[in-house]
Amino acid sequence: MHVISLSAFDLGLAAFLLILLAATSLRIGLGLEKRMLISGVRMTVQLLLIGLVLKVLFASSSLWLVLTMATIMLLVAGYEVWARQKRKLSGARGYLISTGSMLISSFTVTFLALTIMVGVDPWYTPQYAIPLLGMLLGNTMNGVALASDRLTTEIYNHRAMVEQRLLLGQNWQEASGDIRRDCMRTGMIPIINSMAAAGVVSLPGMMTGQILGGSSPLDAVKYQILIMFLIAAGTGFGVLTAIWLISRQLFDDRQRLVLDNLTDVQE
Amino acid sequence: MKEAPLPLPYPDQGNSKGLHVCALSFLGNGPYTLDILPGECVGLIGRSGVGKTQLLRAVADVIAHGGDCLLNGIACSAIAPPLWRKRVAMVPAESYWWYDTVAPHFHGGVGQGQSIELLKKMGFSPDVGGWRVSRLSTGERQRLSLVRTLITAPQVLLLDEPTSSLDQAMVQVVEEIVTDICQMKQTICLWVSHDREQLFRMANRIYRVEAQALVEETTECM
């Protein structure tokens, strides 16, 4: 089965729907229209560029090119996680923690999948490595960003309560335990919900793409199951890593709450 | 030539008992030095914003500070922070609660040993553990917060305006309870208040907190 090629007019029609939504946003005063349009343009440019890059990458199959591409994707994902936090850790450590969490959540899991589960040879075959890494980075980024944002915000908003618990002789893990667990749940619930709804409420993007591309539905389903498990595990471990590393920065070596590390919220 | 390090401003403690606040400084305040013997209650008074609460927080080691505190010869910096805060317990002016009901906030529950007696003295019925925190009045929260700390049997009590939301009868009950604890258990008490009369009743010594020093005031009623 051949994929029906989309013309620029077809894509333009789809873009018109977004423009319509932006106009509605402007009309009802949501204030999202600018961000919506910029994101739409950014997405289009980014995807067109990546299409060109992937074409070169797939043709060369060079390990160094794949690693360079993967590193750029990781650094951008780390920045996105850091930038999405309302009250973020200031300086390089905030960015390093976000990037480190994404490394745990995506790189390690992708490497495991390529070497053990998919077993593609060589393991860095770009047709497998880059889409898998991209899927993992894109999906785990949401969970890690949500959990990190919630942690810094909740600890800041409930600082008096956390200090009260410290004053009662609790250690920092106990004093912030309820908040940290709550943030971990916040980060993991979207992927848990996605797994529960997959195939019943929604047909996930990767599977849809494969079916449209002509793969057999059964093969598409198997890959989708694999990717869902990987995303769930990656999100979970990424969230755990981010929460632990950020929490450690919010308490000093005498287990005092130190919020000077957090940037002020710019409204 | 490298200079020899300055000696730490600690007194020679040896086996000495009591709380020794040694050149404690924080947020531009201090250094404050103060010695309190077991069973003594020291009152702290001063204008709003001068740093009375911060002084208590520094002694409890929940804010960064210079200098150190020693309890019975053991420096705060030498022991684990949770252990220090169990021995040197602070009751903040405003209490905070994080579970729905009262009982889980109490170490070991509210139906155990000393807590029953203290809760009764404070005017609470035995079923207080099941009360919802959201329905507690400000005064009830303040009294329960004090009991929550007292049942952990600290060696030093840091009280930040502990009766500010209580009626006169309950103020008297709290004062009696703290006096008994200081006398019978030799607990040290640092009591911050704007109520000079109360400090005259409760404290062996009263200090006015200034930005850079503690100035002793007379405890004789004017």
Side-chain angles (χ1 to χ4, degrees), chain B residues 14 21 40 50 53 55 59 65 71 80 89 92 106 166 182 190 203 214 216:
Chain B
V21 177
E40 252 194 322
V50 75
T53 299
L55 175 56
V59 174
H65 57 79
L71 180 62
F106 284 67
L166 306 183
C182 287
L190 251 177
L214 296 173
E216 187 162 5

Side-chain angles (χ1 to χ4, degrees), chain A residues 50 66-82 84 95 97-111 113 128-146 187 191 206 227-228 230-236 238-239:
Chain A
I50 200 67
V66 172
L67 283 181
T68 305
M69 178 73 195
T71 306
I72 292 169
M73 289 165 75
L74 172 71
L75 295 178
V76 175
Y79 176 78
E80 285 293 327
V81 168
W82 180 71
R84 284 185 199 183
Y95 174 69
I97 286 175
S98 299
T99 308
S101 306
M102 293 309 295
L103 181 80
I104 300 281
S105 72
S106 302
F107 260 56
T108 48
V109 174
T110 303
F111 183 72
Y128 285 86
I130 297 299
L132 266 180
L133 181 64
M135 289 282 290
L136 275 159
L137 280 173
N139 284 280
T140 59
M141 192 170 72
N142 286 328
V144 174
L146 270 176
I191 182 61
M206 182 184 180
I227 202 80
M228 292 293 266
L230 297 180
I231 290 170
T235 304
V239 164

Side-chain angles (χ1 to χ4, degrees), chain A residues 4-20:
Chain A
I4 301 168
S5 186
L6 294 174
S7 67
F9 179 72
D10 299 327
L11 297 179
L13 274 181
F16 179 72
L17 290 175
L18 187 73
I19 294 168
L20 205 62

Side-chain angles (χ1 to χ4, degrees), chain A residues 202-238:
Chain A
S202 63
L203 284 183
M206 182 184 180
M207 185 175 129
T208 311
Q210 278 189 302
I211 293 172
L212 284 175
S215 298
S216 86
L218 212 58
D219 280 340
V221 164
K222 283 183 199 165
Y223 267 94
Q224 190 59 52
I225 291 171
L226 173 77
I227 202 80
M228 292 293 266
F229 283 145
L230 297 180
I231 290 170
T235 304
F237 290 119

